[in-house]
Amino acid sequence: MTAPTAADTESVQPLAAVPARSGRAGLVWRRFRRNKFAMVGLVGLVLLFLFAFLGPLLTHWSPTDIDLVNTQSGPTGDHLFGTDDVGHDMFAQTVNGMQKSLIIGLLVALLSTGSAGLLGTAAAYFGGWWEKVIVWLTDLFLVVPSLLMLIILSPYFQGTSWLVLVPMIALFSWMITSRVVRGMTLTIREREFVRAARYMGVPAWTIIARHIIPNISSILIVDFTLNVGAAIVTESFLSFLGFGIRTPNVSLGTVINDGAQFASTDQWYLFVFPASVLVLIILCVNFIGDGLRDALDPNSTGASAR
Amino acid sequence: MGAFIVRRLLNYVVLVFVATSLAYLGAATAFHPKDMYLQKNPPTPAVVMYHELNERNDNPDKPVLERYAHWVDGVAHGDFGQTWQLDSVSKHFSISVWVTVRLVTVAAVISAVAGILIGSFQAVRQYKFSDHAITFGSYIIFAMPVFVLAPLLKLVAVQVNKAVGGNTPLLQYQGEIDPDATGFWGQLFSRADHLLLPTISLSLGLIAFYSRYQRGQMLDVLGSDFLRTARAKGLSKTRAILKHGVRTAVIPVMTLVTYSTILTFAGAIITERVFGWNGLGSWFTDATNHSDVNSVAVITLFSAVLVLIAGMLSDIITAVLDPRVRL
């Protein structure tokens, strides 16, 4: 039942004459590639990234520009996604909003998964007071309604850089992963190779970094991927309600909120374009996350052993 | 066992207290209630402003901890303070909470039943076309946050109304009830009509969530020995699956259902905003926009208590459903 660790397979590799990319990474990649949905997600996400960062080249409007002549215009060659009632170019706004949402999503996932891994392993490995404090903090943050708390604290990040949202959202999204990581670490801690390392006098943090983290890496990777999507949704949720990113900055949430005013009018495309972009991003991220889970899990039914 | 439950309950109560205190202190330091008065045109006279701020216990010139102590003292005596409109928070709460209950109850029941049935159906017909279609559908729904789904439903409703024509629009998407509706049946119909779209927007995500989980649990159960025994003793396939399969598979799912249902009561913010229901969610955003610490604190307290109840309730439900667990 035990998954071969990265260290196991790599040490065997030089002895056996095997073709390139036959390590664990190669195996995971082959299994991932066989999953059609996962590949669609990966290609889709790469295309969305390119769209977000190369899209501004397709238009000469900037997100703050106002075209007074063409307010509420339909999708035209000049305004690909149309304009709102003020005359903002919705294409420029959507693309700019995508950039911010993607950056926030990646950074939040990095921060929250990283700290969840750190806290979870530390709690389980050190035990004692460490564990008591971390478990209590985890419980507390689970009881605190995170979205309400983010709204309450929103006046704090008003008028500062939009990047403040990254630590704020991460602060309220590490708990569940941390719990799972702690549970897994508790069993790994008692395994022979960890004990051997401990009795040989290897420092605790080195054991965590070398032996424990690689053994829980699959859950961390999957969790990171799914957290990207969750963070983008949280950010857009806040911005949609007006508590996240505010004018003059735009994010997908603010653009969708602007568009939503028009959802019940003839200008419904102002809502549909940015909303579809958000749905596509989350869809791709979820496809990748599920594909990675199947590819990394040695017991998964979806993928065969090779 | 009793001591264990008491200790756990005590720990929960401490957590709720700390969580609410964090919310109160966060709001009391983050909000700027004075600006609300100064931004008015013409600005409120200073005497009136300070009088009202003191009434609300939101005077920023007083130390935060003093205001906090005053608030805790009030709460301990059942007094939750005043809203930004100088109403009683308790009165406002008792009105808003019922709006949310009327909005959420139907959606919660429908999504639990539909989610469990759809998930079981998928598991029984694993890898058939219907299974794949439903899985794909739930992927789409997962990728669709409420703030996309709710305006989208509005968009569809408008187009449907246009296609149907007529004097009164067929699908309603604003508020709870048409004030012109008369008679018992007329009002009932108007309520149901207004409830349709918000219910869809609340339940689709939950149905996708539950059915996915139920499918996984059901697949584990379908291959089990006790199900084969039930069949061998002469039960029909449908009855065996319903009586022995679904009941076993639903136990872990019920935890999820309890938590999600109870959290929906506090988390219908977007649905309430988009469809114009004045429940707890709308109140919360309004209160934040008006720098109203007391209202924000009471709603946070309410949702923290709900989490606590969800935890206890899911334990009880597990004990009732699972014959292996004894309380």
Side-chain angles (χ1 to χ4, degrees), chain B residues 150-172:
Chain B
L152 186 68
L153 286 169
K154 230 172 162 175
L155 197 166
V156 173
V158 170
Q159 300 302 325
V160 168
N161 287 344
K162 236 187 234 169
V164 173
N167 288 334
T168 46
L170 179 70
L171 294 170
Q172 295 289 340

Side-chain angles (χ1 to χ4, degrees), chain A residues 6-20 22-23:
Chain A
D8 288 342
T9 30
E10 267 160 28
S11 60
V12 174
Q13 212 176 358
L15 299 172
V18 278
S22 63

Side-chain angles (χ1 to χ4, degrees), chain A residues 16-35:
Chain A
V18 278
R21 304 193 66 111
S22 63
R24 180 152 159 75
L27 175 73
V28 168
W29 169 239
R30 275 201 307 283
R31 290 168 58 163
F32 183 82
R33 215 172 37 188
R34 256 206 314 271
N35 185 333

Side-chain angles (χ1 to χ4, degrees), chain B residues 35-57:
Chain B
D35 292 357
M36 288 292 124
Y37 292 94
L38 298 177
Q39 279 160 8
K40 270 187 198 157
N41 193 16
T44 321
V47 187
V48 179
M49 176 178 86
Y50 280 110
H51 176 70
E52 289 195 1
L53 282 174
N54 280 329
E55 280 285 293
R56 287 166 48 187
N57 188 32

Side-chain angles (χ1 to χ4, degrees), chain A residues 5-200:
Chain A
T5 62
D8 288 342
T9 30
E10 267 160 28
S11 60
V12 174
Q13 212 176 358
L15 299 172
V18 278
R21 304 193 66 111
S22 63
R24 180 152 159 75
L27 175 73
V28 168
W29 169 239
R30 275 201 307 283
R31 290 168 58 163
F32 183 82
R33 215 172 37 188
R34 256 206 314 271
N35 185 333
K36 273 190 223 101
F37 280 126
M39 283 311 282
V40 168
L42 186 64
V43 172
L45 196 64
V46 169
L47 289 178
L48 283 165
F49 259 94
L50 289 178
F51 178 67
F53 288 93
L54 299 179
L57 302 177
L58 294 177
T59 178
H60 59 93
W61 299 102
S62 89
T64 45
D65 282 350
I66 291 173
D67 186 355
L68 289 170
V69 189
N70 293 310
T71 56
Q72 292 199 9
S73 93
T76 59
D78 193 26
H79 297 290
L80 293 170
F81 286 1
T83 57
D84 65 6
D85 51 344
V86 186
H88 288 123
D89 181 70
M90 290 305 262
F91 180 79
Q93 290 218 330
T94 304
V95 169
N96 191 279
M98 269 177 89
Q99 291 178 8
K100 293 217 183 62
S101 294
L102 287 169
I103 292 173
I104 288 180
L106 283 175
L107 290 179
V108 169
L110 205 64
L111 201 59
S112 71
T113 308
S115 45
L118 214 63
L119 288 170
T121 47
Y125 188 82
F126 294 116
W129 278 103
W130 276 91
E131 186 165 23
K132 279 216 177 73
V133 171
I134 292 174
V135 168
W136 194 79
L137 270 182
T138 318
D139 283 348
L140 175 66
F141 272 84
L142 280 173
V143 173
V144 174
S146 49
L147 291 177
L148 300 190
M149 215 48 199
L150 281 169
I151 293 177
I152 289 177
L153 297 176
S154 65
Y156 271 127
F157 37 87
Q158 204 173 351
T160 49
S161 157
W162 53 272
L163 282 169
V164 184
L165 277 173
V166 172
M168 290 309 298
I169 297 176
L171 183 65
F172 291 100
S173 50
W174 54 273
M175 298 82 72
I176 293 175
T177 321
S178 153
R179 268 202 173 174
V180 177
V181 165
R182 177 174 156 261
M184 294 179 78
T185 310
L186 281 176
T187 59
I188 295 171
R189 191 176 75 132
E190 300 305 323
R191 297 259 291 274
E192 288 80 359
F193 60 92
V194 176
R195 286 194 181 173
R198 193 156 61 222
Y199 297 145
M200 282 160 72

Side-chain angles (χ1 to χ4, degrees), chain B:
Chain B
M1 197 63 197
F4 173 74
I5 292 176
V6 168
R7 213 171 57 206
R8 209 166 135 188
L9 190 66
L10 212 66
N11 186 33
Y12 267 136
V13 170
V14 171
L15 281 175
V16 167
F17 178 73
V18 175
T20 315
S21 301
L22 280 179
Y24 185 91
L25 294 172
T29 49
F31 290 175
H32 306 291
K34 229 164 138 178
D35 292 357
M36 288 292 124
Y37 292 94
L38 298 177
Q39 279 160 8
K40 270 187 198 157
N41 193 16
T44 321
V47 187
V48 179
M49 176 178 86
Y50 280 110
H51 176 70
E52 289 195 1
L53 282 174
N54 280 329
E55 280 285 293
R56 287 166 48 187
N57 188 32
D58 277 349
N59 188 348
D61 297 342
K62 273 190 197 161
V64 176
L65 288 177
E66 196 184 315
R67 279 181 277 156
Y68 171 68
H70 185 87
W71 179 76
V72 172
D73 186 52
V75 169
H77 294 91
D79 174 18
F80 290 90
Q82 294 180 333
T83 66
W84 82 91
Q85 290 158 319
L86 299 180
D87 281 342
S88 146
V89 166
S90 321
K91 209 180 91 199
H92 201 315
F93 180 83
S94 59
I95 296 170
S96 299
V97 79
W98 288 112
V99 176
T100 302
V101 167
R102 285 197 292 272
L103 172 71
V104 169
T105 313
V106 180
V109 174
I110 288 181
S111 34
V113 174
I116 288 167
L117 287 182
I118 291 175
S120 312
F121 174 75
Q122 275 183 281
V124 174
R125 299 180 57 84
Q126 194 192 8
Y127 298 141
K128 296 265 170 56
F129 173 76
S130 56
D131 181 27
H132 285 304
I134 296 172
T135 305
F136 188 75
S138 50
Y139 262 118
I140 305 275
I141 292 170
F142 278 136
M144 219 179 257
V146 183
F147 55 84
V148 170
L149 185 60
L152 186 68
L153 286 169
K154 230 172 162 175
L155 197 166
V156 173
V158 170
Q159 300 302 325
V160 168
N161 287 344
K162 236 187 234 169
V164 173
N167 288 334
T168 46
L170 179 70
L171 294 170
Q172 295 289 340
Y173 47 80
Q174 198 63 37
E176 244 192 286
I177 186 170
D178 190 352
D180 298 334
T182 48
F184 175 75
W185 293 109
Q187 289 194 342
L188 190 71
F189 173 77
S190 180
R191 278 193 188 277
D193 195 9
H194 282 81
L195 199 55
L196 180 68
L197 294 178
T199 304
I200 297 176
S201 100
L202 282 173
S203 31
L204 271 186
L206 288 176
I207 292 177
F209 186 40
Y210 298 155
S211 65
R212 203 153 174 69
Y213 207 69
Q214 172 75 12
R215 178 181 177 273
Q217 293 297 328
M218 196 70 190
L219 283 176
D220 291 346
V221 170
L222 280 181
S224 61
D225 292 336
F226 63 84
L227 209 60
R228 202 174 310 127
T229 313
R231 290 276 284 135
K233 283 163 85 180
L235 276 184
S236 72
K237 193 176 177 198
T238 326
R239 291 205 55 180
I241 286 175
L242 282 180
K243 273 199 85 171
H244 295 263
V246 175
R247 188 177 162 181
T248 319
V250 94
I251 294 167
V253 182
M254 274 328 272
T255 312
L256 206 69
V257 171
T258 323
Y259 267 100
S260 315
T261 304
I262 288 196
L263 290 183
T264 330
F265 281 89
I269 298 183
I270 302 265
T271 310
E272 286 183 10
R273 287 285 293 243
V274 172
F275 294 108
W277 287 56
N278 292 318
L280 292 176
S282 298
W283 183 23
F284 188 83
T285 47
D286 283 349
T288 308
N289 283 329
H290 288 92
S291 296
D292 177 358
V293 181
N294 292 332
S295 303
V296 161
V298 82
I299 299 173
T300 319
L301 172 66
F302 178 65
S303 56
V305 170
L306 285 184
V307 176
L308 186 153
I309 294 174
M312 306 302 258
L313 213 60
S314 70
D315 288 352
I316 294 173
I317 289 179
T318 310
V320 170
L321 284 176
D322 193 340
R324 290 165 297 189
V325 176
R326 293 270 171 271
L327 267 187

